[in-house]
């Protein structure tokens, strides 16, 4: 259930902060977005919860298994599934294309290649945000447990929350700045039909968040 809530928020944020070029299309586009979002949320939540379910159902709860499944594997899966939901929900951007502009801000065409680049960059930045944001606290808390620094469960929970909040606070601007908001794509990477109308060598697009 918690995985479902997290990926619902992540998907909603992605829908609201996409490129927006194709939002002027008919209602079937919005219906497709909703169906893609629901499918991505359900799949990501199931994949995220599967290791813990498998461990509880079929394996012995050894300390090593607990460490790998509950603490180390959780963060990479969360980052991977976050990138997956971005790619699925924003798939119309590389299927239909997004607007590319010249240096003066004038739209020169709709490019599927630029849409693919924008979605790929956003998915990578989202994976970096949540993967690192939950992996580093898990590693730090492992050493906290080893040295018995937190004396009570309440102190340990508070320390865990503070670490996650602190790492996410640092990683949020870092992940947003990995790729510029106004992305660049070279002439060689664009479709021929766009190039026929301009002599520019570098073009720009809105990456989304």
């Amino acid at each position: 259930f918690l995985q479902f809530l997290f990926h619902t928020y992540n998907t909603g944020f992605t829908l609201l902060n996409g490129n927006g070029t194709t939002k002027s299309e008919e209602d079937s586009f919005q219906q497709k977005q909703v169906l893609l979002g629901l499918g991505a949320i359900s799949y990501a939540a199931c994949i995220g919860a599967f290791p813990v379910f498998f461990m509880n159902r079929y394996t012995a709860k050894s300390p090593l298994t607990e460490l790998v499944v509950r603490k180390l594997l959780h963060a990479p899966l969360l980052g991977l599934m976050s990138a997956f939901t971005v790619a699925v929900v924003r798939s119309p951007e590389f299927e239909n294309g997004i607007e590319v502009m010249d240096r003066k801000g004038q739209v020169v065409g709709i490019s599927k290649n630029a849409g693919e680049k924008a979605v790929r960059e956003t998915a990578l930045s989202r994976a970096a945000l949540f993967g690192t944001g939950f992996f580093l606290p898990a590693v730090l808390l492992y050493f906290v447990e080893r040295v018995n620094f937190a004396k009570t469960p309440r102190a340990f929970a508070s320390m865990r929350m503070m670490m996650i909040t602190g790492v996410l606070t640092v990683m949020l601007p870092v992940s947003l700045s990995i790729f510029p908001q106004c992305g660049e794509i070279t002439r060689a990477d664009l479709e021929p039909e766009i190039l026929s109308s301009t002599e520019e060598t570098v073009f720009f697009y809105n990456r989304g968040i």
Side-chain angles (χ1 to χ4, degrees):
F1 178 72
L2 294 177
Q3 289 273 347
F4 187 86
L5 287 181
F6 171 81
H7 289 295
T8 299
Y9 169 79
N10 190 30
T11 301
F13 183 88
T14 301
L15 283 171
L16 292 174
N17 294 280
N19 177 273
T21 297
T22 55
K23 286 185 179 179
S24 60
E25 295 185 0
E26 54 188 14
D27 292 341
S28 60
F29 169 76
Q30 294 181 350
Q31 295 174 359
K32 181 180 180 180
Q33 288 289 87
V34 171
L35 292 176
L36 286 173
L38 290 175
I41 292 168
S42 302
Y43 180 81
C46 291
I47 293 298
F50 179 76
V52 176
F53 168 79
F54 185 83
M55 181 188 70
N56 291 337
R57 181 68 177 83
Y58 297 106
T59 66
K61 296 181 181 180
S62 65
L64 179 60
T65 305
E66 289 273 353
L67 173 64
V68 172
V69 173
R70 292 191 181 275
K71 298 179 180 179
L72 298 183
L73 185 61
H74 172 70
L77 266 183
L78 199 62
L80 181 62
M81 288 299 101
S82 297
F84 168 78
T85 56
V86 170
V88 171
V89 172
R90 291 181 56 178
S91 60
E93 293 183 25
F94 54 78
E95 292 175 354
N96 303 321
I98 62 174
E99 293 178 347
V100 290
M101 300 161 285
D102 58 19
R103 295 183 183 276
K104 298 179 181 179
Q106 297 177 338
V107 177
V108 297
I110 304 294
S111 171
K112 294 182 180 180
N113 294 345
E116 180 181 351
K117 189 170 185 287
V119 174
R120 182 174 64 250
E121 291 174 348
T122 305
L124 289 174
S125 67
R126 197 70 57 84
L129 171 62
F130 292 116
T132 306
F134 287 92
F135 181 76
L136 286 181
V139 173
L140 294 174
L141 287 170
Y142 171 74
F143 291 105
V144 169
E145 285 183 305
R146 291 292 299 271
V147 299
N148 198 24
F149 184 77
K151 303 298 183 182
T152 64
R154 179 176 294 182
F156 182 81
S158 299
M159 186 174 296
R160 180 174 184 271
M161 185 60 65
M162 287 188 295
M163 285 185 178
I164 292 176
T165 303
V167 173
L168 286 176
T169 300
V170 173
M171 281 303 302
L172 180 59
V174 172
S175 67
L176 293 177
S177 62
I178 293 176
F179 302 102
Q181 182 65 38
C182 183
E184 294 186 8
I185 186 168
T186 62
R187 186 181 182 89
D189 295 328
L190 285 179
E191 293 87 340
E193 57 269 22
I194 297 178
L195 302 177
S196 61
S197 62
T198 179
E199 297 297 327
E200 294 280 348
T201 58
V202 179
F203 301 86
F204 305 90
Y205 58 88
N206 174 27
R207 179 175 65 83
I209 301 176

